[in-house]
Amino acid sequence: MHYSGSVYRPPSEAYSLIVQVTLGCSHNKCAFCNMYKDKPFSICPIDQVMEDLSWARNAYPRIERVFLADGDALILPTEHLLRILHYIREHYPECQRVAVYASPKSVLKKTPEELRTLHEAGLGIAYLGLETGNEALLKKINKGVTVAQQVEAGQKLKAAGITLSVTAINGLSGTVGWEDHAVDTAKALNAMCPDFIALLTLRIYTGTPMAQWVEEGSLSVPSPMELIRESKLLLEHLDCPGAVFRSNHASNYLVLAGTLNRDRERLIRECGEALRGEAPIRTFVELGR
Ligand code: SF4
């Protein structure tokens, strides 16, 4: 297999065959992110990708899931993606799902018909990083798209039948503006009604603009209790029937898991118990900070 630089995948793709179809992220400018700083963005030659798929078929007897890395597989021309998906369908008959990270810009460049065709060829799930539904904060972190574009991309993926998993970042606004971040993020999620919502917690990575903001004092990282207070406010405004809500990433202080809207009141109650000190939260040591 051709692997280049650091390779990332969502936690739920832990057992997937990872195939790099692009290197890096086509945007690579978000203020909090250090994922692909080690490599400039490029599209992997399609013949190399097909070679990797063929090699993996010979190497592994069962491949039930495939994750097409790196940061933005949907930027590939549709005919390249279809060639990859058709190969997987033909040569990996046991494969149940093909997944990608999807950048909103790449989703919006595809027509609804193209997305539908990709889904019918086996593209099962797309992971979209909303980060925040607050317009000013989205601009500040340099996400490169508007909230409306993020929402439209999510809706377009869902309309094509592709399972939609959306991440947002608890604490992204620091200790100032957290109410707007929580409420607006809930609104954007409600508009998309994803199948999965993953609430991560802000981590500050050395060398990023955000680390610089913390160093110069223009951003204060929220305390664990402030983060839980923000999660509670987000949950109070969420209205996404059927969405699986998870806040159980290694970065989260309070583990929350349930299906909306059915479990929303329980999740809000669990936040309240943690805020009152009636339920344990993870510590810095457990989180490895
Ligand atoms: S789009 Fe995603 S991978 Fe690219 S810089 Fe932003 S957060 Fe990082």
Side-chain angles (χ1 to χ4, degrees):
M1 296 287 285
H2 298 84
Y3 286 120
S4 176
S6 311
V7 179
Y8 296 90
R9 45 105 188 127
S12 47
E13 300 295 328
Y15 300 105
S16 304
L17 170 72
I18 300 180
V19 181
Q20 278 179 317
V21 300
T22 66
L23 297 184
C25 164
S26 55
H27 179 56
N28 216 12
K29 292 186 191 127
C30 295
F32 60 88
C33 176
N34 72 343
M35 280 166 70
Y36 299 113
K37 298 299 179 206
D38 60 339
K39 48 188 160 182
F41 179 74
S42 66
I43 291 177
C44 298
I46 185 71
D47 290 343
Q48 178 185 302
V49 176
M50 302 312 289
E51 215 178 281
D52 282 349
L53 289 169
S54 166
W55 183 91
R57 174 67 298 171
N58 291 326
Y60 305 115
R62 274 196 82 71
I63 300 172
E64 295 183 354
R65 289 185 175 194
V66 177
F67 180 70
L68 302 178
D70 280 334
D72 184 13
L74 278 186
I75 204 168
L76 255 65
T78 299
E79 62 269 27
H80 284 197
L81 283 166
L82 285 173
R83 199 172 149 197
I84 292 165
L85 292 167
H86 289 155
Y87 184 95
I88 291 171
R89 180 155 284 171
E90 189 180 339
H91 295 275
Y92 303 4
E94 73 278 20
C95 184
Q96 294 157 10
R97 191 173 86 177
V98 180
V100 291
Y101 279 132
S103 88
K105 277 187 185 164
S106 297
V107 175
L108 294 178
K109 277 190 193 139
K110 301 266 185 242
T111 65
E113 294 70 34
E114 284 179 300
L115 291 173
R116 169 66 60 186
T117 307
L118 289 170
H119 173 57
E120 284 165 1
L123 180 58
I125 181 166
Y127 297 89
L128 186 78
L130 170 67
E131 329 304 2
T132 178
N134 182 262
E135 200 70 65
L137 183 56
L138 203 62
K139 196 165 177 203
K140 184 179 171 198
I141 61 162
N142 203 15
K143 188 73 189 176
V145 284
T146 63
V147 175
Q149 287 173 310
Q150 296 264 54
V151 169
E152 189 187 344
Q155 290 173 337
K156 215 169 156 182
L157 287 164
K158 275 204 82 176
I162 297 168
T163 299
L164 177 63
S165 180
V166 178
T167 53
I169 303 181
N170 192 206
L172 190 64
S173 180
T175 53
V176 177
W178 63 273
E179 298 98 328
D180 289 342
H181 167 46
V183 173
D184 292 345
T185 300
K187 280 185 197 161
L189 290 167
N190 294 347
M192 287 191 252
C193 209
D195 301 282
F196 296 93
I197 298 171
L199 185 63
L200 312 179
T201 296
L202 177 67
R203 292 171 111 166
I204 304 295
Y205 295 102
T206 311
T208 59
M210 204 157 247
Q212 178 72 29
W213 300 344
V214 172
E215 203 174 308
E216 68 196 20
S218 62
L219 181 88
S220 297
V221 178
S223 68
M225 287 303 163
E226 287 169 332
L227 289 164
I228 295 167
R229 181 180 61 174
E230 185 185 301
S231 299
K232 181 168 177 280
L233 184 62
L234 172 88
L235 281 161
E236 285 165 354
H237 287 81
L238 271 181
D239 179 15
C240 296
V244 173
F245 180 90
R246 292 275 183 273
S247 183
N248 57 0
H249 184 255
S251 65
N252 296 114
Y253 288 94
L254 179 65
V255 173
L256 296 166
T259 300
L260 300 173
N261 292 331
R262 187 191 69 196
D263 299 328
R264 187 179 52 201
E265 292 313 311
R266 171 179 61 78
L267 296 170
I268 292 169
R269 196 172 60 242
E270 287 173 5
C271 289
E273 287 166 1
L275 287 170
R276 293 190 300 275
E278 295 165 11
I281 63 167
R282 286 148 132 189
T283 63
F284 279 85
V285 175
E286 284 172 288
L287 290 172
R289 293 179 193 202

